Amino acid sequence: KLGPAAVGAGAELLRAAQTGAVAVREEAMRALVMIQPPEAVLAFTAGLRDAEPEVRKLASAGWRKAAEVPEEAVPVLIEALQDPDVQVRANAAHAVGRLDPVPAEAVPPLTVCAVHPDVGLRLNAALALQAVPGRTASDALHLLLDDPNPRLRLIAARRILRDDPADTQAIAVVTEALNSHHAGIRAAAEEIAAALAPPPEDDKPDPPAAAEQSVIPAAA
């Protein structure tokens, strides 16, 4: 409850989170999430491999609250994308999405997460895939163009149209969203449509001079 003011308790909390009984590990991990002492990096990384699902949930939540995701945590977070617990996977996907760039080895498990029945997991996986450069990620997001959630459809469409502005299925998703009754969905669709629109006439370069417009001479 003291929050960051209890930063001096980091070492003892780390020890409790690693060696205590289940209830102690849970409470220690919960405290580390709230306090975020320097020891939290090691605690959250180790906690993702804890045998107790609740400890893993708290450790993965810690990465959502952490100021940054260090390099040493990346392999464990990618492992956590295949955790048996849905919330752990969702939190891990959120953390992986914060990386710049998102590692290529995270794409296969993120693709699996993106088609899970849980909408929260799909959302976090889609946001992470949206940040992955290259065609592999946009191909994975194609699966979400038919998602029942309109926000997820737009996330997928935005990323796909960045690679292929002529993708008809993605354009159809944006067009449908432009007529949505939900103001937030319409606004997101309008933003995507504006990014795809051609520049105004005033911003186009001047046409070449008449003599330069064609190398074919006029007929006599």
Side-chain angles (χ1 to χ4, degrees), residues 116-117 119 122 143-153:
H116 191 275
V119 67
R122 295 202 309 277
L143 300 170
L144 292 175
L145 290 177
D146 292 322
D147 195 274
N149 186 294
R151 184 182 176 198
L152 274 164
R153 294 198 298 272

Side-chain angles (χ1 to χ4, degrees), residues 124-207:
N124 282 306
L127 289 171
L129 285 168
Q130 186 179 236
V132 178
R135 186 78 193 193
T136 303
S138 59
D139 287 346
L141 286 168
H142 246 286
L143 300 170
L144 292 175
L145 290 177
D146 292 322
D147 195 274
N149 186 294
R151 184 182 176 198
L152 274 164
R153 294 198 298 272
L154 281 176
I155 289 171
R158 182 193 300 272
R159 176 63 179 80
I160 291 162
L161 290 169
R162 201 162 71 208
D163 281 353
D164 182 7
D167 188 288
T168 55
Q169 192 177 358
I171 290 172
V173 166
V174 176
T175 303
E176 180 186 11
L178 287 170
N179 298 309
S180 171
H181 297 297
H182 191 290
I185 296 298
R186 287 200 311 276
E190 288 166 1
E191 183 183 338
I192 297 172
L196 294 171
E201 289 293 329
D202 291 345
D203 294 338
K204 290 183 178 179
D206 294 332

